[in-house]
Amino acid sequence: MDKDTQEVNAELKLRYLSFLNSIRDKEVDVQLCDNIAVKGNFIGMQRNGEHFLLKPLTTPTGQLDSGVIRTKDTSEMDVVGVLKVYKWLADSYMVDFFVEDNWQKLQKSWRDYFDTFSDEDVVVFVRHLLNPASSTWPNLSSPPPLSLISLKNVAFSLSVPFFKPVESLKELATHFEIDTDKNFTDVCVELDSKKRLKIKDKKIHEIGRILDLTTLVIESAKAKKEEIDEVVDVGAGLGHLSRVLSMYLDKKVRTIEGDEQLVHRALTIDAKVSKGEMEMPDRISAYIKSEEEIQQTQNALLIGCHTCGDLAPTIIRHYKNNTSAKALVHFGCCYHKMNGGLDKPFRVETKEPFKPAEDGFPLNKKYSEVEISYMARELACFSYGQFVDKIGENENQFYVNGSRAALEYLIVNILGKRDWRHSKMVGVKNGHLMDFWEYASKTAKHNPQVIQLLEENKLDNDINKQINQLLSVSRTQVPVFYALRLLIAPLIETVILYDRQEYLKEHGITSKLIPLFNPNISPRNTALISIK
């Protein structure tokens, strides 16, 4: 470790100790798991951060002289607490970056730190911020604010460990108290290309892992005297997963899919793969709106792989209500479409505010007061791994993002067309090579009123000066702000998954969350697994 890095780390340690010292002997409120609140004077924290001492300790049942609290006992509700603090960040659209003046909403100490960044510093910072394995902060122009360091630590320590999927079949099997020396199934090795017809690499990875997981679930259920007779894939799409399961499992496989065209295409692929020599899944075309519409199952393992919107909680409710549904394997996706997506801002069809509903989120009473907006749920679907991989590819990488935000500012703030907010635009190939006005004209090519507005104002010197100022600061501010939003995305997804897990727990059904897929291949990688 070089001298500069040592000095930065020493400064950070001093700030941390100073913070702990500043709250010593002051009363603090602590929210524990199961919504239990305690309070007391903060005396100190164990060096490794695992325990802290309150004296006296006031609990719902009375007061103690003192009490030691385990940090991890506060974590589940702390996720909600952190999201409340940074709700505005989760609820911010990048297109509104200048319209809402989002940079000024950051803490001043953060802005002061970021304002010293060069383009190279931005890349280094983002790669560190979104890397859970990177614990030593990069030696940039000045030490980072303690609150920023804390946010990174909290984001990765309190969220489901999406970034640490199971590394082997042996590790996965331990969750079911099963011992095995086998490796994960490699579908590319096991099946020739004709049997893998039209299956993309991402799906190949997912199918291999789900096949092994399904086998373990069936074996574990059998050990509990719960025989699985059939596997039902709800939201099966083109049926690739169910087709492979039917080849490997000695079980009946059925699928339910709402898109009739996808069902027909799946049947066509089935015929080409099987050639009448293999049993293929039974396929049903049905658009499921409620758990009652899922056809009665018989001692079934329900599978939902990346089911969109309200279909996910519908499957979970069906599993809870149906005694013949014996096990569940579910992967979430498209969280923003839950509750019908009716709370989407600037929605043309309706402007209904967010209303907690049994359809999507929350499912569990514990989270009944938690509000996760459309923007936040959409953010939970993003992949920070892909963002980190691409940052630094070219020196003008975020020019398009800054230009789109500047265009929104031009339309809404400079020209006063507030009713035109979030007008539909299109992607522009090689937009980073264009000047602002060329990019703006191309992205708005299907919007005549915006095109006319651009033509009328593109020669205005004052407007050009304002646009150039926005584009100048966007080089640093836009990627940094985007990275900060991505940092809290895992916390949002964690709350959604915890809600589903708590819903089952509320009804006496145990479950577990296991990151199964490589997140760089399949970002929504965590399975909700339950065996009754």
Side-chain angles (χ1 to χ4, degrees):
M1 185 182 298
D2 59 40
K3 183 178 179 181
D4 289 340
T5 302
Q6 288 178 337
E7 290 178 353
V8 169
N9 288 342
E11 171 67 18
L12 296 178
K13 187 173 183 179
L14 284 173
R15 290 189 185 190
Y16 177 67
L17 294 175
S18 176
F19 166 73
L20 292 181
N21 188 58
S22 70
I23 63 172
R24 187 173 182 178
D25 295 325
K26 293 183 179 179
E27 186 174 89
V28 295
D29 295 311
V30 181
Q31 194 78 36
L32 302 177
C33 297
D34 297 323
N35 210 22
I36 297 173
V38 300
K39 64 181 179 180
N41 292 339
F42 180 84
I43 303 302
M45 178 173 283
Q46 192 176 13
R47 179 174 294 182
N48 60 14
E50 292 183 357
H51 299 83
F52 57 92
L53 176 65
L54 300 183
K55 185 177 182 180
L57 174 66
T58 302
T59 74
T61 58
Q63 188 176 85
L64 303 174
D65 291 339
S66 63
V68 175
I69 306 295
R70 291 189 305 177
T71 306
K72 70 177 184 179
D73 287 339
T74 69
S75 63
E76 189 171 332
M77 292 309 298
D78 275 351
V79 176
V80 175
V82 172
L83 287 182
K84 285 182 178 178
V85 173
Y86 292 99
K87 182 181 184 302
W88 72 270
L89 185 59
D91 292 349
S92 300
Y93 272 132
M94 293 306 300
V95 71
D96 293 325
F97 182 74
F98 295 122
V99 170
E100 300 288 350
D101 201 11
N102 283 330
W103 191 253
Q104 294 303 315
K105 296 178 183 178
L106 295 173
Q107 299 176 39
K108 184 178 184 301
S109 60
W110 292 21
R111 299 198 309 270
D112 291 343
Y113 174 61
F114 298 139
D115 285 343
T116 64
F117 281 8
S118 64
D119 289 350
E120 293 76 16
D121 290 341
V122 170
V123 174
V124 173
F125 167 77
V126 170
R127 286 176 176 169
H128 166 76
L129 185 74
L130 299 179
N131 180 2
S134 178
S135 57
T136 302
W137 280 73
N139 184 17
L140 300 177
S141 54
S142 61
L146 179 60
S147 54
L148 181 59
I149 298 172
S150 299
L151 178 58
K152 176 185 175 176
N153 292 340
V154 164
F156 287 116
S157 64
L158 297 187
S159 65
V160 172
F162 306 106
F163 53 90
K164 291 177 64 177
V166 290
E167 296 182 351
S168 66
L169 182 56
K170 186 177 183 67
E171 180 186 350
L172 177 61
T174 60
H175 289 278
F176 302 91
E177 299 180 353
I178 296 173
D179 188 31
T180 181
D181 291 323
K182 295 180 180 179
N183 297 319
F184 278 123
T185 299
D186 188 335
V187 177
C188 288
V189 173
E190 296 287 332
L191 298 177
D192 60 42
S193 59
K194 293 180 180 179
K195 292 180 180 178
R196 291 184 277 110
L197 189 63
K198 297 186 181 298
I199 308 180
K200 297 180 179 179
D201 290 344
K202 174 178 177 289
K203 199 67 178 179
I204 287 286
H205 172 75
E206 294 169 352
I207 289 173
R209 296 294 174 94
I210 295 177
L211 172 61
D212 292 327
L213 173 59
T214 300
T215 302
L216 290 171
V217 169
I218 292 173
E219 185 177 343
S220 181
K222 187 175 183 179
K224 295 181 178 181
K225 310 300 182 184
E226 293 286 357
E227 192 71 34
I228 301 293
D229 294 328
E230 66 173 351
V231 176
V232 181
D233 184 3
V234 185
L238 286 172
H240 296 313
L241 170 62
S242 55
R243 190 175 304 112
V244 174
L245 291 178
S246 68
M247 295 179 195
Y248 277 87
L249 301 178
D250 185 24
K251 303 289 180 183
K252 180 180 180 180
V253 179
R254 292 197 292 119
T255 69
I256 303 173
E257 169 55 47
D259 189 329
E260 190 171 351
Q261 290 187 348
L262 289 181
V263 175
H264 286 311
R265 290 171 63 188
L267 289 170
T268 300
I269 298 173
D270 287 346
K272 290 181 179 179
V273 170
S274 68
K275 296 181 179 179
E277 299 174 357
M278 291 183 290
E279 185 175 349
M280 290 284 105
D282 293 336
R283 302 197 183 278
I284 300 171
S285 176
Y287 188 82
I288 305 300
K289 295 182 180 179
S290 68
E291 62 270 22
E292 292 84 5
E293 296 177 3
I294 297 179
Q295 194 176 60
Q296 187 68 22
T297 53
Q298 297 295 326
N299 298 329
L301 162 58
L302 297 178
I303 296 179
C305 184
H306 297 149
T307 53
C308 283
D310 291 325
L311 180 56
T314 297
I315 294 171
I316 294 170
R317 282 197 300 271
H318 174 81
Y319 172 67
K320 185 266 292 185
N321 292 328
N322 187 352
T323 56
S324 67
K326 301 298 183 182
L328 172 72
V329 171
H330 184 270
F331 297 84
C333 188
C334 300
Y335 302 121
H336 55 297
K337 295 182 180 180
M338 291 192 300
N339 303 338
L342 296 178
D343 55 325
K344 181 179 180 180
F346 309 104
R347 182 183 172 93
V348 176
E349 296 85 353
T350 177
K351 294 185 179 180
E352 292 186 30
F354 176 87
K355 294 180 180 179
E358 65 175 7
D359 293 336
F361 177 91
L363 286 173
N364 177 252
K365 295 177 182 178
K366 182 174 181 178
Y367 295 93
S368 60
E369 300 300 320
V370 178
E371 179 181 333
I372 301 182
S373 69
Y374 181 96
M375 296 85 78
R377 300 195 308 274
E378 188 175 48
L379 177 61
C381 300
F382 288 9
S383 169
Y384 61 81
Q386 296 172 0
F387 175 70
V388 171
D389 289 342
K390 291 182 178 180
I391 192 168
E393 285 184 349
N394 65 70
E395 61 177 308
N396 219 11
Q397 187 172 354
F398 290 91
Y399 173 79
V400 168
N401 306 78
S403 295
R404 178 63 186 90
L407 174 59
E408 192 75 3
Y409 185 85
L410 169 64
I411 294 170
V412 177
N413 292 53
I414 298 179
L415 301 177
K417 302 294 185 180
R418 303 199 70 83
D419 291 341
W420 294 10
R421 284 192 72 174
H422 291 218
S423 295
K424 188 174 182 179
M425 304 291 175
V426 298
V428 179
K429 186 177 181 180
N430 295 323
H432 65 286
L433 301 177
M434 304 173 185
D435 68 21
F436 171 78
W437 296 101
E438 182 183 3
Y439 162 78
S441 296
K442 288 185 179 296
T443 193
K445 68 178 182 179
H446 296 315
N447 199 322
Q449 60 184 6
V450 174
I451 293 291
Q452 181 179 349
L453 204 67
L454 294 172
E455 288 297 320
E456 293 172 353
N457 292 278
K458 66 181 182 180
L459 298 180
D460 187 296
N461 290 332
D462 289 338
I463 288 178
N464 273 283
K465 183 177 180 180
Q466 291 184 67
I467 294 298
N468 289 334
Q469 288 175 339
L470 296 179
L471 294 178
S472 177
V473 299
S474 73
R475 291 180 67 94
T476 297
Q477 294 180 1
V478 167
V480 166
F481 192 81
Y482 187 46
L484 291 172
R485 293 191 73 231
L486 287 179
L487 180 63
I488 63 174
L491 293 173
I492 302 168
E493 185 173 14
T494 292
V495 170
I496 294 171
L497 295 181
Y498 278 174
D499 172 58
R500 295 172 179 180
Q501 193 174 30
E502 286 294 324
Y503 172 76
L504 293 176
K505 180 181 177 181
E506 180 184 30
H507 293 91
I509 302 173
T510 59
S511 64
K512 58 187 71 179
L513 293 168
I514 301 178
L516 186 65
F517 307 143
N518 181 332
N520 292 325
I521 298 175
S522 183
R524 307 280 71 75
N525 71 337
T526 297
L528 173 64
I529 305 165
S530 175
I531 303 172
K532 289 180 179 174

